[in-house]
């Protein structure tokens, strides 16, 4: 933009405010810049009520939309932008700004709106390029860079930020509806966003010297700090500084030793933000500034100063009753007090933090910067730190009670332990709700007393992974056993990755290729030969040496997770495991004691929760009416490969259930046909042999039908139609489905499918096993279920043990073939 047009733009912009009717706009702008959003909205409403000036009305709409977005009122934000759209379309600049604001809204609302945010952002950028307005392009490119960063496209994002910086330096003329102060800070905000993208790109690079790895990030942060020296005092600027300091904290966590350079950058930013907050007299900004300064002192282990600043932050949070602020600073107080040795005080603060966090957990994950961390990384620490403290209290407070109060120690211990478990269960429920994007999942509904559920032959293993140790809780009908091991969460996670890295791969890739060639043409006689386990299984296969490397980590995990409890597992036949985090990704059946696999000693089941529905479990197996709806897809559809052995699997199960089954295969296996069938007959078993996947994002989780993809909500609808007269569906079997490799959040979805769908049990696999091998376990599992005296857990155990011991299944000895199958939910 040349000087003449720049001058003309400023002149016209100022001319708008020479009108007396523009006074409310000025007052609204001042309130907005001070962070008083409710007051700003009130002023902008006056503008809309008193003027028909198009520019004034657009400015009011944009201001209200931005204010509502800051307040978290996304419904109002969208409504206002939708109202302004027809007017904004008449002007390229305003149209681009509106679309950019709408894209920001969708990005703020979370992952499920990302695609729409991307599409709208692209439209905004396309229009902005036609305006030839450098500041507009800089603002929109900054947001486009944020979108790219969210999608892990760091290299392109960094280039976009560089382009935005070039445009932002061309002029400092204001651009309605943004103020001169906002435009003056644009370069600094772009630099902060750029530093975030560089940080994530450098984080995944391999460097022995971590400080060197973040050299470019730190250099960009220093440029941003320099850029802030000329900033005016606005609420938005204070938050840009808070964002900068939070990035500094993320880098510090990655370093083996804290960086004095980074500490200095954070200190400068927070001191400046505190001055801005005090000048604006904004209690929210004061709360953040004091709280983050307290965090800085906490990391420096200057706990007295950290305690004072954090209490100041809490004081300034009170008038606004911001749950996010109250949660952050209560949690921080808990950490500080814990480090000062005041565990009882810390526990109270942690409890308060969780109380404030509960209603805002979904909001805690919004915004593009939080896309980089999953729900567990963002939310879990406060829950597990409290559980850790409660478990530590058992060792200290409980033992002291033994000396003075005798039996009271047992009550104190049980109470603390129950509280710790309750905290972890609360988190698990929150995590499932977050994954399934529903607050309706309640894993504690109708929970029963474990003592009434457990018989003398069943035990429940509840492992708790903590940063510095592993707690193993074993519930038996005669009491609880607790074992503590000095194995931290990171150490355990590393061993799990090592265990899975070979176990999930076919033990003979060359033979896999040959089998696929034999299965290439549907209907050929060779398909039956390949798919029939009894015909193929007795032929030994050569397995690679690499495929045996799972054994060592398998034995290590056995020694950590099972061996310490073996003396207490005498007489136990069924072991129910309630895994968490990375433990959800491992097949416990394949853990090895040096002589045998775990499945050879115990029938195994997995539960997402320690809470069980008594009415499900105590139902007599003899009264089961096993009416089965069999669904299968052996043909190649929608770009997915064929599954010829799915047809064989369905045909064999048909013979097992004779008159008690209905079959939908290939073209008849459509979503509408399944819905129609479940409305006609109250099936107790729903079997699906088709492609399916569970991933970290619910949007990518589905089961393939002939004509579409069945998502979790649709599956839940199917199950609801099958539930008649309070009789819950007994079993949902998903054959050929898989979870994303090593993704514990995807495994969470798999573990939670029984809860989400509303069935008693789910039978599924952690990974997609070769098509020829799947029937080997699935068919034997169903064959065992014909005996009503056999539990589902024992039916699966028998099928898996058969792969290890029977001569007909020699080729399936490797746990790749049989260990991935899980029974999730009720084990009866």
């Amino acid at each position: 933009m040349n000087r003449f047009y720049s001058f003309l733009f400023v002149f016209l912009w100022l001319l708008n405010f020479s009108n007396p009717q523009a006074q409310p706009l000025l007052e609204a702008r001042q309130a907005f810049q001070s962070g008083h959003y409710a007051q700003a909205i009130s002023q902008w409403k006056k503008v809309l009520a008193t003027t028909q000036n198009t520019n004034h009305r657009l400015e009011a709409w944009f201001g209200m939309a931005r204010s509502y977005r800051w307040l978290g009122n996304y419904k109002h934000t969208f409504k206002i932008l939708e109202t302004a759209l027809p007017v904004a379309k008449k002007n390229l600049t305003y149209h681009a700004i509106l679309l950019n604001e709408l894209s920001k809204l969708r990005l703020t609302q979370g992952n499920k709106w990302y695609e729409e945010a991307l599409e709208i952002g692209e439209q905004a950028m396309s229009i902005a390029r036609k305006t030839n307005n450098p500041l507009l392009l800089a603002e929109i490119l900054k947001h486009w860079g944020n979108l790219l960063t969210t999608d892990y496209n760091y290299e392109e994002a960094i280039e976009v930020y560089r382009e935005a910086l070039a445009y932002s330096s061309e002029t400092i003329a204001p651009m309605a509806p943004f103020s001169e102060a906002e435009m003056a800070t644009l370069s600094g905000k772009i630099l902060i966003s750029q530093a975030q993208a560089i940080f994530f790109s450098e984080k995944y690079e391999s460097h022995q010297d971590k400080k060197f790895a973040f050299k470019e990030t730190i250099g960009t942060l220093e440029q941003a700090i320099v850029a802030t020296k000329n900033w005016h005092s606005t609420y938005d600027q204070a938050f840009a500084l808070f964002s900068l300091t939070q990035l500094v904290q993320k880098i510090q966590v990655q370093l083996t030793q804290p960086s004095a350079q980074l500490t200095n950058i954070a200190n400068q930013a927070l001191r400046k933000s505190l001055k801005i907050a005090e000048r604006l007299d904004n209690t929210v900004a004061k709360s953040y500034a004091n709280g983050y300064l307290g965090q800085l002192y906490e990391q420096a282990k200057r706990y007295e100063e950290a305690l004072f600043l954090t209490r100041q932050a809490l004081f300034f949070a009170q008038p606004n009753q911001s749950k996010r602020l109250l949660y952050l600073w209560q949690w921080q107080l808990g950490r500080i007090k814990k480090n000062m040795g005041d565990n009882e005080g810390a526990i109270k603060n942690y409890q308060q933090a969780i109380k404030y966090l509960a209603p805002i957990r979904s909001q805690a994950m919004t915004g593009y910067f939080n896309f980089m961390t999953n729900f567990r990384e963002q939310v879990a620490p406060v829950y597990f730190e409290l559980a850790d403290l409660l478990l530590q209290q058992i060792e200290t407070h409980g033992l002291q009670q033994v000396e003075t109060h005798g039996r009271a120690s047992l009550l104190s211990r049980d109470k603390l332990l129950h509280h710790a478990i309750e905290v972890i269960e609360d988190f698990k429920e929150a995590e499932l709700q977050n994954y399934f994007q529903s607050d309706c999942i309640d894993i504690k509904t109708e929970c029963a007393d474990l003592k009434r559920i457990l018989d003398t032959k069943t035990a429940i293993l509840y492992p708790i992974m903590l940063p510095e140790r592993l707690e193993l809780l074993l519930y038996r009908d005669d009491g609880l056993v607790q074992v503590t091991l000095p194995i931290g969460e990171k150490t355990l996670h590393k061993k799990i990755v090592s265990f899975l890295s070979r176990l999930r791969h076919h033990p003979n890739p060359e033979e896999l290729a040959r089998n696929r060639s034999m299965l290439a043409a549907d209907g050929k006689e060779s398909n039956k030969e390949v798919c029939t386990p009894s015909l193929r299984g007795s032929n030994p296969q050569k397995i690679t040496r690499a495929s045996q490397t799972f054994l060592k980590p398998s034995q290590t995990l056995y020694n950590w997770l099972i061996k310490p409890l073996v003396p207490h597992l005498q007489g136990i036949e069924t072991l129910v495991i309630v895994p968490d985090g990375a433990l959800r990704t491992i097949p416990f059946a394949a853990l090895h004691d040096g002589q045998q696999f775990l499945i050879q000693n115990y029938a195994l089941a997995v539960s997402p929760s320690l809470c069980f529905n008594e009415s499900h479990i105590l139902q007599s197996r003899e009264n089961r009416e096993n009416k089965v709806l069999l669904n299968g897809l052996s043909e190649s559809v929608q770009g997915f490969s064929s599954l010829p052995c799915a047809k064989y699997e369905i045909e064999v199960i048909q013979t097992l259930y004779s008159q008690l089954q209905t079959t939908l295969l290939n073209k008849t296996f459509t979503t509408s046909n399944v819905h129609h069938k479940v409305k006609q007959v109250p099936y107790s078993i729903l079997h699906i042999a088709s492609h399916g996947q569970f991933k970290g994002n619910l949007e990518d989780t589905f089961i393939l039908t002939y004509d579409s993809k069945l998502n979790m909500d649709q599956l839940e609808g199917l199950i609801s139609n099958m539930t008649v007269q309070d009789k819950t569906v007994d079993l949902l079997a998903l054959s050929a489905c898989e979870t994303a490799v090593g993704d514990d959040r995807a495994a969470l979805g798999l573990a939670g499918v029984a809860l989400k769908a509303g069935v008693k049990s789910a039978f599924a696999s952690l990974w997609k096993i070769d098509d020829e091998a799947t029937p080997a376990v699935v068919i034997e599992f169903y064959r065992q279920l014909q005996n009503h005296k056999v539990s589902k857990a024992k039916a699966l155990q028998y099928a898996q043990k058969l792969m290890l011991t029977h001569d007909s299944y020699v080729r399936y000895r490797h746990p790749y073939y049989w260990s991935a199958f899980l029974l999730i939910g009720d084990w009866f």
Side-chain angles (χ1 to χ4, degrees):
M1 182 185 295
N2 62 38
R3 291 185 180 181
F4 170 76
Y5 284 107
S6 178
F7 170 78
L8 180 62
F9 187 85
V10 176
F11 173 76
L12 291 173
W13 181 77
L14 292 173
L15 186 62
N16 282 331
F17 290 94
S18 64
N19 190 323
Q21 291 181 339
Q23 187 60 30
L25 275 174
L26 290 172
E27 293 178 4
R29 184 184 291 276
Q30 289 168 358
F32 179 83
Q33 290 176 2
S34 299
H36 300 129
Y37 297 122
Q39 182 182 336
I41 290 169
S42 177
Q43 292 298 323
W44 273 314
K45 284 181 177 179
K46 289 181 182 179
V47 172
L48 292 173
T50 59
T51 183
Q52 293 302 313
N53 182 293
T54 300
N55 289 345
H56 289 179
R57 291 181 68 80
L58 282 168
E59 172 136 6
W61 278 322
F62 286 140
M64 290 172 66
R66 293 167 70 199
S67 297
Y68 278 124
R69 180 163 59 84
W70 271 95
L71 292 170
N73 193 331
Y74 305 139
K75 184 177 180 181
H76 273 69
T77 305
F78 182 79
K79 186 177 180 181
I80 289 167
L81 291 174
E82 197 174 37
T83 302
L85 182 59
V87 181
K89 278 184 175 180
K90 298 174 183 178
N91 180 289
L92 285 179
T93 298
Y94 278 120
H95 191 195
I97 293 171
L98 185 143
L99 291 175
N100 201 51
E101 287 298 317
L102 185 55
S103 180
K104 285 181 180 179
L105 168 66
R106 289 313 193 200
L107 184 59
T108 304
Q109 286 179 284
N111 193 34
K112 65 180 180 179
W113 293 102
Y114 176 75
E115 290 300 325
E116 186 174 327
L118 195 68
E119 182 181 339
I120 297 170
E122 194 167 15
Q123 293 174 29
M125 189 167 63
S126 176
I127 294 171
R129 291 195 184 279
K130 296 176 184 178
T131 65
N132 197 30
N133 185 322
L135 285 178
L136 177 64
L137 268 171
E139 171 65 26
I140 290 177
L141 283 167
K142 176 171 71 70
H143 174 61
W144 184 251
N146 294 349
L147 287 165
L148 293 171
T149 302
T150 302
D151 200 32
Y152 310 103
N153 191 349
Y154 306 125
E155 289 187 9
E156 190 175 341
I158 292 166
E159 289 304 314
V160 167
Y161 290 132
R162 285 174 181 155
E163 184 183 1
L165 278 171
Y167 281 120
S168 69
S169 63
E170 285 193 22
T171 178
I172 60 168
M175 178 186 68
F178 301 99
S179 70
E180 183 178 356
E182 289 176 288
M183 291 296 97
T185 63
L186 186 56
S187 295
K189 290 163 72 175
I190 293 169
L191 282 165
I192 294 170
S193 293
Q194 186 180 35
Q196 290 170 345
I198 294 170
F199 164 71
F200 285 114
S201 67
E202 290 185 322
K203 181 179 177 182
Y204 297 108
E205 290 179 1
S206 177
H207 287 284
Q208 290 184 347
D209 185 348
K210 286 289 185 73
K211 190 172 181 179
F212 175 78
F214 298 109
K215 185 177 180 180
E216 189 178 351
T217 305
I218 295 170
T220 308
L221 285 174
E222 287 184 320
Q223 291 179 53
I225 281 291
V226 171
T228 67
K229 289 181 179 178
N230 298 319
W231 279 13
H232 299 276
S233 296
T234 68
Y235 188 78
D236 190 31
Q237 290 158 356
F239 267 82
L241 290 165
F242 297 149
S243 179
L244 185 153
T245 59
Q246 288 303 286
L247 179 56
V248 167
Q249 305 299 340
K250 288 180 179 291
I251 300 171
Q252 293 278 38
V253 169
Q254 299 293 320
L255 303 178
T256 52
Q257 293 290 333
S259 165
Q261 181 185 11
L262 285 172
T263 302
N264 183 52
I265 291 173
N267 190 53
Q268 286 184 64
L270 288 173
R271 295 294 176 187
K272 184 171 181 63
S273 67
L274 184 57
K275 287 181 180 178
I276 292 174
E278 290 171 345
R279 196 172 296 137
L280 296 174
D281 195 24
N282 186 289
T283 53
V284 173
K286 287 180 184 178
S287 181
Y288 273 113
N290 279 283
Y292 286 142
L293 270 171
Q295 188 181 92
L296 208 58
Y297 280 101
E298 177 196 358
Q299 291 184 338
K301 299 183 180 180
R302 295 168 61 175
Y303 297 122
E304 290 292 344
E305 291 135 305
L307 192 65
F308 172 79
L309 286 164
T310 307
R311 283 173 173 162
Q312 285 285 96
L314 200 57
F315 171 78
F316 286 119
Q318 295 295 338
N320 304 283
Q321 286 299 301
S322 166
K323 289 184 173 60
R324 176 174 172 77
L325 289 174
L326 294 170
Y327 142 67
L328 282 174
W329 310 142
Q330 289 285 1
W331 179 17
Q332 190 159 295
L333 281 176
R335 297 196 307 269
I336 294 166
K337 288 182 181 178
K338 178 178 70 173
N339 285 313
M340 296 177 77
D342 180 9
N343 283 359
E344 290 188 9
I347 287 171
K348 291 177 181 178
N349 289 121
Y350 273 105
Q351 290 170 335
Q352 285 296 310
I354 289 173
K355 173 187 171 183
Y356 291 125
L357 174 62
I360 62 161
R361 283 184 298 235
S362 60
Q363 294 176 26
M365 290 299 295
T366 58
Y368 92 93
F369 194 55
N370 285 336
F371 274 59
M372 304 305 116
T373 55
N374 62 34
F375 183 84
R376 188 178 188 86
E377 292 172 340
Q378 190 87 350
V379 174
V382 66
Y383 286 89
F384 281 86
E385 286 169 20
L386 173 56
D388 191 358
L389 271 174
L390 291 165
L391 291 167
Q392 288 180 43
Q393 289 291 88
I394 292 174
E395 300 176 7
T396 55
H397 177 71
L399 290 175
Q400 291 171 6
Q401 291 288 331
V402 168
E403 298 172 2
T404 55
H405 298 287
R407 179 171 170 75
S409 65
L410 180 61
L411 297 175
S412 175
R413 175 184 179 274
D414 286 350
K415 185 176 180 180
L416 286 166
L417 187 57
H418 177 77
H419 190 180
I421 297 301
E422 192 175 60
V423 168
I424 294 172
E425 289 293 294
D426 283 345
F427 170 73
K428 287 185 176 183
E429 180 176 329
E431 195 176 23
L432 276 169
Q433 289 173 347
N434 175 262
Y435 179 82
F436 287 113
Q437 299 174 18
S438 171
D439 292 333
C440 298
I441 296 175
D442 184 357
I443 63 179
K444 289 184 266 189
T445 301
E446 300 179 41
C447 280
D449 185 350
L450 291 179
K451 292 180 180 178
R452 295 203 306 269
I453 290 176
L454 294 176
D455 56 32
T456 57
K457 296 181 180 180
T458 305
I460 297 172
L461 171 58
Y462 194 93
I464 304 174
M465 296 186 297
L466 297 169
E468 304 299 331
R469 68 187 193 282
L470 173 66
E471 296 277 0
L472 300 176
L473 305 181
L474 185 71
Y475 290 85
R476 294 176 49 114
D477 71 317
D478 57 356
L480 171 66
V481 176
Q482 180 181 0
V483 176
T484 304
L485 300 171
I487 300 162
E489 184 175 8
K490 288 183 179 179
T491 301
L492 187 58
H493 188 272
K494 190 178 294 184
K495 192 60 65 176
I496 289 170
V497 171
S498 175
F499 173 48
L500 292 173
S501 62
R502 285 309 315 171
L503 189 59
R504 296 181 67 121
H505 291 85
H506 195 283
N508 189 336
E510 291 182 4
E511 182 158 318
L512 173 62
R514 286 197 298 272
N515 291 344
R516 285 179 175 171
S517 177
M518 293 176 70
L519 289 166
D522 289 351
K524 288 190 175 181
E525 193 65 27
S526 61
N527 288 349
K528 183 177 181 181
E529 178 186 341
V530 172
C531 295
T532 307
S534 60
L535 295 178
R536 294 274 294 166
S538 58
N539 299 321
Q541 68 166 316
K542 181 182 178 182
I543 60 176
T544 64
R545 182 177 298 178
S547 69
Q548 295 293 338
T549 57
F550 79 90
L551 197 56
K552 187 174 180 179
S554 169
Q555 291 172 349
T556 301
L557 288 171
Y558 176 90
N559 291 337
W560 290 349
L561 295 164
I562 304 298
K563 187 175 180 179
L565 299 170
V566 167
H568 309 285
L569 290 171
Q570 300 300 317
I572 295 299
E573 296 179 1
T574 301
L575 184 61
V576 182
I577 302 159
V578 188
D580 180 58
L583 290 174
R584 291 188 294 245
T585 67
I586 69 171
F588 278 80
L591 298 190
H592 200 274
D593 65 2
Q595 300 294 325
Q596 290 182 312
F597 290 101
L598 188 64
I599 195 63
Q600 293 174 270
N601 295 317
Y602 311 101
L604 300 172
V606 170
S607 174
S609 166
L610 190 61
C611 194
F612 301 95
N613 190 311
E614 186 174 5
S615 63
H616 288 182
I617 291 176
L618 299 183
Q619 182 182 9
S620 172
R621 288 189 292 271
E622 285 78 3
N623 294 330
R624 285 183 191 158
E625 294 181 9
N626 286 331
K627 294 182 180 179
V628 184
L629 177 59
L630 297 170
N631 306 273
L633 196 60
S634 64
E635 298 176 1
S636 173
V637 297
Q638 301 179 52
F640 287 82
S641 62
S642 62
L643 294 170
C645 291
K647 182 178 179 182
Y648 169 79
E649 179 182 309
I650 294 290
E651 289 172 346
V652 175
I653 298 173
Q654 279 179 318
T655 64
L656 295 175
Y657 287 90
S658 60
Q659 303 301 315
L660 295 176
Q661 55 79 28
T662 302
T663 299
L664 298 174
L665 184 64
N666 293 327
K667 291 183 180 180
T668 61
F669 176 38
T670 64
T671 303
S672 59
N673 280 350
V674 178
H675 274 286
H676 179 68
K677 291 295 182 184
V678 299
K679 288 180 180 179
Q680 292 180 324
V681 178
Y683 296 101
S684 59
I685 297 177
L686 177 62
H687 180 91
I688 301 176
S690 176
H691 287 288
Q693 63 183 25
F694 289 83
K695 289 196 173 183
N697 294 325
L698 185 66
E699 293 82 1
D700 298 325
T701 296
F702 65 87
I703 297 166
L704 192 71
T705 64
Y706 189 84
D707 61 342
S708 62
K709 292 176 181 176
L710 199 66
N711 62 36
M712 288 300 100
D713 287 337
Q714 291 170 320
L715 181 62
E716 183 180 13
L718 282 176
I719 300 298
S720 297
N721 287 330
M722 295 171 68
T723 303
V724 180
Q725 297 178 349
D726 297 326
K727 289 186 178 180
T728 307
V729 175
D730 190 49
L731 179 66
L732 167 66
L734 303 174
S735 176
C737 293
E738 63 178 324
T739 61
V741 177
D743 187 341
D744 65 295
R745 186 168 167 83
L748 168 74
L750 181 66
V753 67
L755 282 170
K756 175 65 173 172
V759 300
K760 295 178 185 176
S761 307
F763 172 76
S765 61
L766 283 168
W767 59 81
K768 182 185 172 185
I769 300 152
D770 187 35
D771 192 35
E772 62 133 325
T774 300
V777 174
V778 174
I779 292 169
E780 289 299 334
F781 171 69
Y782 276 106
R783 188 170 282 132
Q784 291 303 311
L785 284 183
Q786 303 307 296
N787 183 349
H788 286 178
K789 293 183 180 180
V790 175
S791 70
K792 283 173 278 189
K794 291 208 168 189
L796 177 56
Q797 181 194 26
Y798 187 87
Q800 291 175 315
K801 285 176 67 175
L802 213 60
M803 304 301 106
L804 285 164
T805 58
H806 200 281
D807 290 342
S808 296
Y809 300 102
V810 171
R811 74 180 289 100
Y812 304 120
R813 293 280 193 263
H814 194 281
Y816 160 82
Y817 290 110
W818 51 263
S819 68
F821 292 98
L822 302 178
L823 180 69
I824 305 161
D826 298 344
W827 59 93
F828 272 59

